[in-house]
């Protein structure tokens, strides 16, 4: 009987001690994640997640919009044709609009012939030139790649700078800084073939290295920052304030040699814009070809930004008023959240990147929501406020809803509210 019992139990399968395929994959995933240096794991996850969500939402909105009578609007028809030429896949083509095609044009212009197009700084289209041959000659795809690589590094610098400035009291400040940067009203434009992600990436990098006192790196980054957008060279002012703060705000003749030894690389920041002006002079004979192109092409003339704000708020154009109210709200958030002396460089930076575009006059209204993305310190303030129990959820939900509404408007009525 004992032999029969042993024989019977031998036929009964025991528990499988080998790890399941799912467990093995999970273990391999954890080992891979452990090898990714912080905070790249978080940054890559957020980048991929935002890309998937926005692309999916964008395709759904455009598909629903197809059934609306009169869609697309008449002034959007040519843009839709240009999008289709870039790609038949909407999850790619939706990231190109208006200025994207002008950057594509600049990226394809030969350098051995006189130029006639000086309405845009050249760093962004020039970065796409060496990448285009690797993508089959598609300069538009190269522009989109540059913008998204810049976004990836932008998130890394936002994490690092946010954790440093906010104190990382609960080890979550860097994550919140990244999240609120992507929750700014029109942050979906970071993923478009536009200059927003490149400019903010370079601005964040410049301040990150300034906080680390690596001033030569600051100067090099600032040089390219000034070549990416006209407001870039003015960022030398808040960067200089970081240097001043690091020496306890002492400004006297005795301290000037020390500032000169440490801060001389800041001269590279305005040198970046002078390089672009020299290019204009070389190609057209006019140092101020950019300014003249802005005046002729878009009717832009430098004027008092406060007057431009007042004109929108008392005027009868509700879209302009909405844009300016959002700008005012961002300035108010910065003024309240960055009032400490240690934060003054970031307050000055925010004021500059908001008011300088407004100094271009009423033509800026259409693009104002796009330009406001440069005000990254607002995201740092929101991340600091979100430490309060219960507020984080409400802020996240409210900003997500606002951005979702603006994203839908951008996809369907680009020229009516957001450019």
């Amino acid at each position: 009987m004992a032999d029969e019992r042993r024989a019977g139990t031998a036929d009964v399968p025991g528990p499988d001690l080998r790890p399941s395929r799912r467990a093995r994959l999970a273990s391999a995933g954890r080992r891979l994640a452990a090898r990714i240096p912080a905070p790249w794991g978080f940054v890559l996850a957020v980048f991929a997640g935002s890309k998937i969500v926005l692309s999916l939402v964008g395709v759904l909105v455009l598909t629903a919009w197809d059934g609306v009578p009169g869609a697309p609007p008449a002034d959007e028809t040519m843009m839709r044709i240009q999008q289709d030429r870039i790609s038949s896949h909407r999850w790619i083509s939706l990231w190109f609009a208006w200025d994207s095609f002008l950057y594509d044009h600049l990226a394809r212009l030969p350098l051995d012939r006189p130029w006639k197009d000086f309405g845009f700084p050249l760093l962004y289209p020039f970065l796409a030139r060496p990448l285009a041959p690797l993508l089959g000659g598609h300069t538009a795809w190269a522009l989109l790649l540059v913008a998204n690589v810049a976004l990836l590094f932008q998130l890394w610098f936002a994490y690092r700078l946010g954790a440093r400035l906010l104190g990382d009291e609960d080890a979550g400040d860097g994550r919140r800084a990244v999240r609120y940067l992507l929750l700014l009203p029109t942050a979906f434009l970071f993923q478009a073939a536009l200059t927003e992600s490149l400019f903010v990436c370079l601005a964040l990098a410049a301040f990150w290295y300034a906080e680390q006192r690596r001033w030569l790196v600051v100067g090099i980054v600032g040089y390219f920052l000034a070549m990416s957008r006209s407001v870039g060279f003015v960022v030398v002012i808040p960067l200089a304030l970081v240097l001043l703060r690091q020496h306890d705000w002492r400004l006297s003749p005795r301290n000037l040699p020390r500032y000169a030894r440490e801060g001389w690389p800041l001269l590279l920041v305005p040198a970046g814009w002078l390089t672009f002006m020299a290019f204009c002079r070389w190609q057209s004979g006019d140092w101020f070809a950019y300014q003249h192109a802005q005046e002729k092409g878009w009717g832009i003339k430098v004027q008092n930004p406060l007057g431009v704000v007042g004109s929108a708020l008392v005027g009868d154009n509700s879209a302009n008023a909405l844009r300016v109210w959002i700008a005012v709200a961002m300035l108010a958030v910065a003024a309240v959240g960055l009032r400490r002396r240690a934060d003054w460089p970031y307050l000055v930076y925010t004021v500059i990147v908001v008011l300088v575009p407004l100094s271009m006059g009423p033509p800026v209204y259409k693009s104002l929501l796009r330009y406001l993305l440069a005000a990254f310190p607002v995201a740092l303030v929101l991340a600091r406020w979100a430490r309060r129990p219960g507020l984080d959820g409400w802020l996240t939900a409210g900003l997500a809803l606002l951005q979702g509404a603006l994203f839908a408007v951008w996809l369907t009525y680009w020229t009516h509210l957001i450019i």
Side-chain angles (χ1 to χ4, degrees):
M1 293 294 293
D3 293 339
E4 290 177 2
R5 286 196 297 269
R6 285 195 296 269
T9 57
D11 296 334
V12 178
D16 187 0
L17 299 179
R18 294 175 300 176
S20 66
R21 184 177 182 183
R22 180 178 298 178
R24 291 196 302 273
L25 290 174
S27 178
R30 286 192 294 269
R31 289 197 299 271
L32 178 61
R35 294 180 180 178
I36 300 176
W40 279 112
F42 174 78
V43 166
L44 288 169
V46 171
F47 173 82
S50 62
K51 174 68 67 178
I52 292 171
V53 169
L54 286 173
S55 297
L56 179 61
V57 171
V59 171
L60 291 175
V61 168
L62 287 173
T63 301
W65 184 247
D66 286 340
V68 175
D75 55 357
E76 302 275 333
T77 303
M78 179 54 67
M79 189 189 74
R80 306 293 180 181
I81 295 173
Q82 290 174 306
Q83 287 178 327
D84 291 338
R85 289 174 182 170
I86 288 174
S87 176
S88 59
H89 301 289
R90 277 185 159 175
W91 61 275
I92 295 177
S93 63
L94 68 86
W95 297 115
F96 294 85
W98 296 113
D99 286 0
S100 302
F101 307 114
L102 296 176
Y103 290 125
D104 184 38
H105 171 67
L106 292 174
R108 289 183 286 107
L109 279 178
L111 294 175
D112 58 348
R113 302 175 190 174
W115 281 41
K116 297 181 180 179
D117 301 283
F118 300 98
F120 295 91
L122 299 178
L123 179 63
Y124 180 50
F126 272 35
L127 287 176
R129 286 175 175 264
L131 295 175
L134 304 177
L135 299 173
H138 294 287
T139 51
W141 294 5
L143 287 168
L144 190 61
L145 178 61
V146 169
N148 280 266
V149 170
L151 173 58
L152 190 59
F153 282 93
Q154 169 190 323
L155 299 180
W156 187 89
F157 283 115
Y159 186 105
R160 289 299 192 188
L161 187 63
R164 184 183 182 96
L165 295 180
L166 301 178
D168 209 17
E169 293 182 358
D170 58 2
D173 290 322
R175 290 185 173 89
R176 278 193 294 271
V178 169
R179 177 152 50 89
Y180 280 101
L181 184 62
L182 290 178
L183 284 171
L184 291 177
T186 55
F188 52 85
L189 294 177
F190 285 139
Q191 308 205 31
L194 297 166
T195 59
E196 271 57 45
S197 59
L198 179 61
F199 180 86
V200 175
C201 175
L202 292 172
L204 281 163
F207 279 99
W208 165 248
Y209 290 117
E211 294 291 348
Q212 293 187 313
R213 302 175 184 248
R214 299 175 63 181
W215 291 103
L216 180 57
V217 180
V218 172
I220 295 172
V221 173
Y223 177 86
F224 292 106
L225 176 67
M227 293 184 67
S228 67
R229 186 175 290 179
S230 57
V231 71
F233 77 92
V234 193
V235 180
V236 70
I237 298 173
L239 289 172
L241 290 178
V242 174
L243 178 62
L244 189 62
R245 184 198 65 200
Q246 290 171 351
H247 294 281
D248 297 324
W249 307 98
R250 292 192 298 266
L251 187 60
S252 65
R254 187 176 59 182
N255 292 322
L256 290 181
R258 177 187 296 179
Y259 287 123
R261 286 194 303 270
E262 291 187 38
W264 70 263
L266 289 175
L267 295 175
L268 295 173
V269 181
W273 187 252
L274 288 175
T275 300
F276 176 55
M277 293 179 66
F279 178 85
C280 295
R281 174 67 175 81
W282 171 50
Q283 287 287 347
S284 69
D286 181 7
W287 287 93
F288 300 96
Y290 171 80
Q291 177 184 340
H292 297 152
Q294 294 279 313
E295 293 173 352
K296 182 178 179 180
W298 293 278
I300 291 173
K301 294 183 179 180
V302 177
Q303 50 197 282
N304 183 356
L306 298 181
V308 177
V309 169
S311 296
L313 297 182
V314 301
D316 56 0
N317 189 314
S318 58
N320 290 344
L322 173 62
R323 298 179 183 108
V324 172
W325 274 120
I326 292 177
V328 171
M330 294 184 75
L331 285 174
V333 169
V336 173
L338 300 171
R339 63 184 183 276
R340 298 184 306 177
R341 289 185 69 187
D343 295 330
W344 284 358
Y346 298 92
L347 175 59
V348 171
Y349 168 85
T350 304
V351 171
I352 286 174
V353 296
V354 174
L355 293 187
V356 168
L358 283 166
S359 69
M360 296 189 298
V364 78
Y365 292 146
K366 288 185 177 181
S367 300
L368 184 57
L369 294 184
R370 171 186 167 189
Y371 294 146
L372 291 178
L373 278 180
F376 71 83
V378 172
L380 302 182
V381 173
L382 295 175
R384 180 181 289 161
W385 290 351
R387 291 171 174 170
R388 301 174 184 176
L391 185 59
D392 191 17
W394 285 105
L395 276 175
T396 299
L399 289 171
L401 288 173
L402 175 60
Q403 185 178 145
L406 291 174
F407 186 40
V409 171
W410 177 72
L411 291 169
T412 54
Y413 275 106
W414 172 281
T415 57
H416 289 218
L417 191 63
I418 305 163
I419 290 184

